[in-house]
Amino acid sequence: MAESSTRTVERALVLLGAVCDAGSLTLADAAREAELSASTALRLLRTLEGTGFVRRDGLGTYRPGLRVVQLGAQALGHESLVSLAEPALERLVERTGESAYLSVPSHDGEGVYLAMREGTHSVRHASWVGRSIPLEGTAVGAVLAGAHPGAGFVVVRDGVEADVTAIAAPVSPGGRPVAALSVVVPSYRITEAEAGRIGALVAREATALLAHTDTRVAPTEDLTGEPA
């Protein structure tokens, strides 16, 4: 029994690796890559799909699921990912005065706030660390779901909360989003122009996050909108 269970796990991992390596595979191709019968591959793929490790698209091909993306972020180590993002979050707060967040996908098809730095304004967004966020209708959700905004960031007003504007950009090593940086602002104090300036800063930080580059903004650039 132990050998059989071990063999099943081994086959499932080989199958998952084949899907991840290819990006998308039909059942027949997945079975061939993993050297499995079609019936065995289908049984294992259904299990992987049920646990979020793979997903099946509209054409019936299998792709890596959100659980894989989440584990990709966790492979960096949640602590190391948070540590890596800390300077970026601090710079975002420093240059905007607003609360800044790091978010990652969760296995249940939503996102989760992993870390934040609280803004310096007297009226500011409180911590949502550990809270889930829907992918639909939110700025963070849009970029975690794979949106490719032309400007590099997404702005959503009244997404999760009324009178709140969120500006998010994807952290996408290899073109696949593993996390998002965002700034959350009370809507009354942000104009479209300010949203654009803050968005450019968030996108710059998100792009550079895994490259360990210095994205500090010149001291003369004012993105706070009002004194902290």
Side-chain angles (χ1 to χ4, degrees):
M1 180 64 70
E3 290 183 359
S4 176
S5 298
T6 300
R7 180 60 175 159
T8 298
V9 172
E10 180 183 359
R11 287 174 170 176
L13 290 174
V14 170
L15 191 59
L16 177 60
V19 172
C20 290
D21 287 342
S24 67
L25 286 175
T26 64
L27 172 61
D29 289 340
R32 183 173 61 253
E33 289 294 326
E35 298 183 353
L36 298 172
S37 67
S39 60
T40 298
L42 178 59
R43 174 173 56 83
L44 293 174
L45 284 169
R46 283 176 173 170
T47 299
L48 291 170
E49 184 180 9
T51 51
F53 284 92
V54 302
R55 62 183 177 86
R56 190 166 43 173
D57 64 21
L59 299 176
T61 58
Y62 291 89
R63 298 177 179 273
L66 284 175
R67 184 60 173 154
V68 172
V69 177
Q70 182 188 36
L71 290 177
Q74 291 175 336
L76 295 172
H78 270 173
E79 290 186 3
S80 64
L81 181 59
V82 170
S83 177
L84 191 64
E86 282 178 351
L89 295 175
E90 290 171 359
R91 285 192 295 267
L92 288 172
V93 172
E94 178 184 357
R95 301 309 303 155
T96 69
E98 309 294 351
S99 297
Y101 284 90
L102 169 71
S103 308
V104 295
S106 63
H107 70 280
D108 56 2
E110 295 190 333
V112 60
Y113 292 104
L114 193 60
M116 69 92 68
R117 286 294 179 273
E118 194 167 294
T120 56
H121 290 288
S122 57
V123 178
R124 58 186 179 271
H125 198 264
S127 177
W128 275 359
V129 172
R131 177 173 171 176
S132 294
I133 181 172
L135 298 187
E136 185 175 352
T138 65
V140 166
V143 297
L144 289 180
H148 300 287
F153 60 90
V154 171
V155 179
V156 172
R157 295 179 183 269
D158 305 324
V160 177
E161 288 185 319
D163 302 320
V164 171
T165 295
I167 306 165
V171 179
S172 302
R176 182 172 297 171
V178 299
L181 289 181
S182 61
V183 167
V184 180
V185 189
S187 295
Y188 75 86
R189 68 169 175 241
I190 186 167
T191 64
E192 289 188 13
E194 289 165 348
R197 290 195 297 269
I198 292 175
L201 176 59
V202 175
R204 191 184 315 171
E205 293 286 1
T207 299
L209 183 58
L210 297 184
H212 302 281
T213 60
D214 187 351
T215 60
R216 285 174 290 187
V217 179
T220 56
E221 185 175 356
D222 180 13
L223 298 172
T224 60
E226 68 177 32

